[in-house]
Amino acid sequence: MNRTFLIREEGFPLTSVADYVLTISLGPEYLRLSVVNPITNRCGWLEEFALTTAGSEEEYLSAVQQLVGTHEILTKNFWKLVRVVVSNQSFTLVPASLFRKEYAARCLSLAKGAIADHEFVHHTVHAQWEAVNVFSLGTQLAEWFFENYPFETIHVHHQVDLLLEMATRFPEDGLLLYLEKHAATLLFIRGGKLHYCNRFLFRTGADLLYYLLFAISELKIDAEHIPAWAFGEITEDDELYKGLYKYLGELKPGLPDSLNLPAVSGDVPLYVY
């Protein structure tokens, strides 16, 4: 893996990390880590690595192990909390009233097909949205993280979980669009309820624009007047943003101020990460 981005707060301690939350985000082509003090709500470390060998699951695990095993922060133990976040297409939302833990794998298989032996199925309850997110990641990867951080509480999430958690602090009706390199997640909140959540894979911006506009049309959203925010790997100068802005009259880059992102040193568009 090659480092593509780093912000380290001056004076960030490398001796004791017991007061900090470590988040490791795993995508098909990247690994990101952040270190946040939950009391001061400051991000002391934010770093991204590009995965140069995107091959088999074993190669991916080997690359993650090599990085974590030699990194000056990731080798630390006794964190306040470790969060592992996976970003993939292997997830489904189930109404909380219908969910049964013993049938989690069956629910996921209805959405993505047969669950392989090497898949670890996990779920996250989102009480406010009356929904449960069922997702999977590689069993070897999941087990290795639990072995590597034996003294910590480890929470495993899907990227969609973080967006749903973020949306609980959403100030009003609107659309949240999170962009990754080849994927995008769209959430629609109306009347304090989650009306839509889906993640699209795409190759070109034109393809994604079609998917998004089709979803907005099917949901019968007043595109010209609905508040909307686009964040992640997107800026106002991108052709995709310009294309969306033609249809979403109240589209803004970034996130609402009410979401209260952790502060970070320097002039960084934190919503990208």
Side-chain angles (χ1 to χ4, degrees):
M1 291 188 179
N2 298 319
R3 177 190 289 152
T4 57
F5 182 83
L6 171 64
I7 285 184
R8 174 183 173 182
E9 191 172 61
E10 186 176 353
F12 180 82
L14 289 174
T15 52
S16 175
V17 294
D19 295 329
Y20 293 87
V21 174
L22 170 66
T23 300
I24 302 173
S25 299
L26 302 165
E29 300 171 335
Y30 67 83
L31 181 148
R32 292 174 183 156
L33 69 99
S34 67
V35 178
V36 173
N37 185 322
I39 296 177
T40 62
N41 199 33
R42 286 197 63 84
C43 180
W45 198 293
L46 180 63
E47 191 170 11
E48 179 183 72
F49 293 87
L51 181 62
T52 54
T53 306
S56 67
E57 186 172 327
E58 288 74 19
E59 290 174 328
Y60 185 89
L61 174 60
S62 177
V64 172
Q65 289 175 326
Q66 183 177 358
L67 174 63
V68 174
T70 57
H71 192 277
E72 57 188 324
I73 283 293
L74 297 177
T75 51
K76 301 294 181 183
N77 281 114
F78 300 103
W79 295 89
K80 185 180 183 70
L81 173 69
V82 173
R83 301 203 305 175
V84 178
V85 181
V86 293
S87 182
N88 59 30
Q89 205 68 4
S90 181
F91 78 97
T92 187
L93 290 178
V94 180
S97 60
L98 301 179
F99 178 75
R100 298 294 180 271
K101 184 178 180 179
E102 58 269 27
Y103 298 131
R106 185 179 299 180
C107 290
L108 184 59
S109 68
L110 292 174
K112 70 175 289 288
I115 304 299
D117 292 338
H118 59 78
E119 287 184 90
F120 172 73
V121 178
H122 197 73
H123 71 273
T124 308
V125 178
H126 295 277
Q128 178 161 333
W129 305 126
E130 300 178 351
V132 179
N133 184 30
V134 183
F135 63 95
S136 71
L137 66 157
T139 300
Q140 286 184 310
L141 183 64
E143 291 178 346
W144 182 79
F145 271 108
F146 281 100
E147 293 170 0
N148 195 67
Y149 295 104
F151 309 108
E152 288 84 356
T153 298
I154 298 181
H155 290 176
V156 180
H157 300 278
H158 193 277
Q159 179 67 50
V160 167
D161 289 324
L162 302 192
L163 299 176
L164 291 170
E165 178 185 324
M166 180 189 300
T168 63
R169 303 189 296 277
F170 203 56
E172 54 191 311
D173 296 354
L175 294 168
L176 283 176
L177 175 63
Y178 174 65
L179 266 294
E180 301 170 77
K181 189 171 183 180
H182 295 297
T185 305
L186 179 67
L187 274 69
F188 175 41
I189 310 298
R190 181 169 60 192
K193 294 185 179 297
L194 177 68
H195 279 259
Y196 186 81
C197 176
N198 201 5
R199 186 174 187 266
F200 305 94
L201 298 180
F202 65 94
R203 291 188 177 183
T204 68
D207 291 339
L208 179 58
L209 185 61
Y210 171 80
Y211 299 149
L212 295 174
L213 293 178
F214 179 80
I216 289 169
S217 174
E218 288 295 297
L219 292 166
K220 296 180 171 53
I221 295 172
D222 182 359
E224 188 63 30
H225 299 103
I226 187 77
W229 287 265
F231 60 106
E233 298 186 36
I234 188 171
T235 69
E236 289 182 273
D237 296 326
D238 293 341
E239 290 303 316
L240 175 61
Y241 185 92
K242 293 176 181 177
L244 284 169
Y245 190 75
K246 292 178 182 178
Y247 301 93
L248 296 171
E250 296 191 25
L251 180 65
K252 302 179 183 69
L255 287 162
D257 294 336
S258 61
L259 297 188
N260 191 27
L261 292 176
V264 67
S265 301
D267 184 18
V268 182
L270 192 58
Y271 66 81
V272 173
Y273 298 94

